[in-house]
Amino acid sequence: MRIPRSARTPAVMVMPHVASRYGPFAAHLKDVNFDKDAGGREEIPVHNPATGEELCKIVSASSYDVDTAISNAQDVFKSGVWSKTPALHRSMVFSNLARRLDEKIGDLAALESMQTGRAIREMKAQLGRLPEWLDYYAALLRTRQDFVAPTQGKLLNYVQRIPLGVVAQITPFNHPLLIAVKKIAPALAAGNSVIVKPSEMAPLSVLAFAKMAHEEGVPSGVLSVLPGYGKTTGKEIASNPIIRKVDITAGTATGREIGSIVGGNLASFTAELGGKAPIVIFNDADPVAAANGAAFAAFVASGQTCISGTRLIVQSEIYDEFMTHFMHKVESITIRMGDPLNPGSTMGSVISPQQLERIESMVQREGKGTGKIIAGGKRMTDKSRLDQFDFSQGAFFPPTVITNVSTEDDLWREEIFGPVVVVKKFASEEDGVSLANACKYGLGAGIWTQDLSRAHRVSEQIEAGLVWVNTHHRNDPSSPWGGMKDSGIGRENGLEAFEAYTQSKSTIINIASMEETRDIQDWFAESSTAKRYG
């Protein structure tokens, strides 16, 4: 396959400045220059996984930093400087922040690519949509209404949504800023104080966003970012009894562990966890569109998303034609991989050498398990045909396709979190649905068919919180996002996320006259007249 000449030479990009050291973003540390001194705190190196080079060091929040930031966040919440400010004011701050974010997309995309190894074309497309989340919640603040409950008698019962207090968010490496903004926006819109613990592997863009938010009007102490390891900093944040909600995106085992801590504090919990999305392709699907859609579902972000289309379930009559188109797309993606900062590069690295080792060991199992590898399967150590980028210096794994895998095999059952798909043939619609549901996860799923009745029928039967028909990975700030089964609890996005960061407060006012009140409120009156209870 020939590579277009325009894609062979990377365009000249101006890289954002990266300091040698970054520290926590918190009110009590606003005057500390971490670029010069870590102040005795633990330092965590951040590497570019595509090159192996160290980008900078991150200063981990100490136990004192965690306690102080949370305490300050509580004080700021109680002061009302953000929690009680008019919704219109918070809306204006969000609108200003959205426009500022618009201006910084190029720099942030480059930063995201450098800290995750993902292709720059992905990051520009993804981050370019982030202002929509801020604009959505700005609009929601201007238009949402509380309500009056239809209470019996001469009573006015109005119900308000009020913020929870100090809330915590633990975000992952795969979509560092996207997932952070999806969580931060509804939490701040509702009036909470927010503590974010970003992934120690990709914290830079989240720190940059927090600084922008403060500069655009979010008061000091309302939004704090505390880098560190999940097993220490994350646990300390989640364990603090001041925290009234924890919202986490992570693996299922981590979600269970954090959830047990949060439950002990009687706090709220939202968790977007693991996934193993099925893509069910019926005989009547367009084979070219289905192949293109399946490739996007499987290999965008190097397969490092919880809704990656990792199980391709293809009906028998279309199987051969679909696989011809799909394997052609796999080859095209592979030969056009290169420097992730090259706009012509199709797919980047995985997040770390450790993750690369895990993926390869799951795929290459020395005679164990089932299945046949028909593409990829081993780490990339050669040079790019696109731009001569040396894959051996980074954590690169090619698009990998494995057929005839048993439903009892780990490759079918477990989340690999890399560019690896398994393919299985099915006969009837019932078989296809059964295979789609033959998994402990239930976050995302895809269906490809031109039969409208089947699309609705099968969508209803598939056990997933998100089902796409003739598309995949479509997301919108208004559309709830979350999973079933082992894929988590609660939802991101939309009014549902906003309300999850609030609690209802019901106020009941007696509007009867004083004469009526004297009578109806005298429960212990000496007369035998019946009285209302409740």
Side-chain angles (χ1 to χ4, degrees), residues 209-513:
F209 177 79
K211 182 180 179 182
M212 271 192 282
H214 177 61
E215 291 170 349
E216 294 302 325
V218 176
S220 180
V222 172
L223 175 60
S224 303
V225 179
L226 305 180
Y229 292 112
K231 62 186 178 183
T232 52
T233 308
K235 278 189 178 180
E236 287 177 355
I237 294 170
S239 301
N240 193 300
I242 293 175
I243 298 295
R244 301 319 306 144
K245 176 183 172 73
V246 174
D247 187 340
I248 183 172
T249 296
T252 298
T254 300
R256 291 186 191 278
E257 184 177 2
I258 294 296
S260 67
I261 295 171
V262 176
N265 287 335
L266 298 180
S268 299
F269 187 53
T270 294
E272 197 257 68
L273 305 175
K276 193 79 177 173
I279 308 295
V280 186
I281 299 160
F282 287 96
N283 286 333
D284 67 335
D286 177 78
V288 176
N292 292 340
F296 174 74
F299 304 127
V300 72
S302 301
Q304 298 171 116
T305 77
C306 295
I307 49 83
S308 283
T310 54
R311 294 182 296 137
L312 304 187
I313 302 167
V314 188
Q315 201 162 17
S316 55
E317 290 180 18
I318 198 177
Y319 184 89
D320 289 341
E321 187 177 5
F322 167 81
M323 287 301 291
T324 296
H325 291 293
F326 182 70
M327 295 307 294
H328 178 79
K329 183 62 67 174
V330 168
E331 179 190 10
S332 173
I333 294 168
T334 304
I335 69 170
R336 290 182 294 128
M337 289 176 65
D339 183 347
L341 291 172
N342 179 348
S345 180
T346 51
M347 196 178 86
S349 71
V350 297
I351 190 62
S352 68
Q354 293 77 19
Q355 180 63 8
L356 178 67
E357 179 65 34
R358 177 181 179 273
I359 295 168
E360 189 169 45
S361 65
M362 288 188 73
V363 172
Q364 300 288 341
R365 293 165 297 165
E366 297 299 330
K368 297 180 181 178
T370 61
K372 178 182 179 182
I373 299 170
I374 62 172
K378 294 183 178 180
R379 68 183 68 194
M380 302 174 75
T381 57
D382 55 351
K383 289 189 176 181
S384 166
R385 291 170 60 179
L386 175 73
D387 56 17
Q388 293 300 300
F389 185 82
D390 186 358
F391 292 129
S392 67
Q393 63 187 346
F396 287 88
F397 201 82
T400 295
V401 183
I402 307 173
T403 59
N404 300 322
V405 171
S406 165
T407 56
E408 298 303 313
D409 197 301
D410 282 351
L411 291 175
W412 180 275
R413 294 158 56 96
E414 300 297 334
E415 189 173 40
I416 300 173
F417 227 59
V420 179
V421 297
V422 296
V423 187
K424 201 167 187 67
K425 190 184 297 186
F426 73 96
S428 68
E429 180 179 304
E430 183 180 4
D431 292 338
V433 172
S434 178
L435 285 170
N437 291 334
C439 183
K440 63 185 175 182
Y441 297 113
L443 182 57
I447 300 168
W448 289 83
T449 179
Q450 297 185 63
D451 184 328
L452 183 62
S453 296
R454 175 185 287 131
H456 287 288
R457 185 171 61 248
V458 173
S459 295
E460 190 275 331
Q461 295 176 69
I462 287 182
E463 298 164 352
L466 298 148
V467 179
W468 292 280
V469 178
N470 296 334
T471 188
H472 200 83
H473 206 160
R474 300 303 184 186
N475 193 9
D476 189 88
S478 65
S479 179
W481 180 285
M484 300 177 178
K485 300 192 285 189
D486 280 10
S487 287
I489 183 171
R491 296 294 183 266
E492 296 177 338
N493 292 348
L495 184 60
E496 196 167 350
F498 178 86
E499 292 196 341
Y501 276 104
T502 66
Q503 54 196 327
S504 64
K505 181 173 182 177
S506 190
T507 302
I508 304 98
I509 300 174
N510 173 27
I511 58 173
S513 67

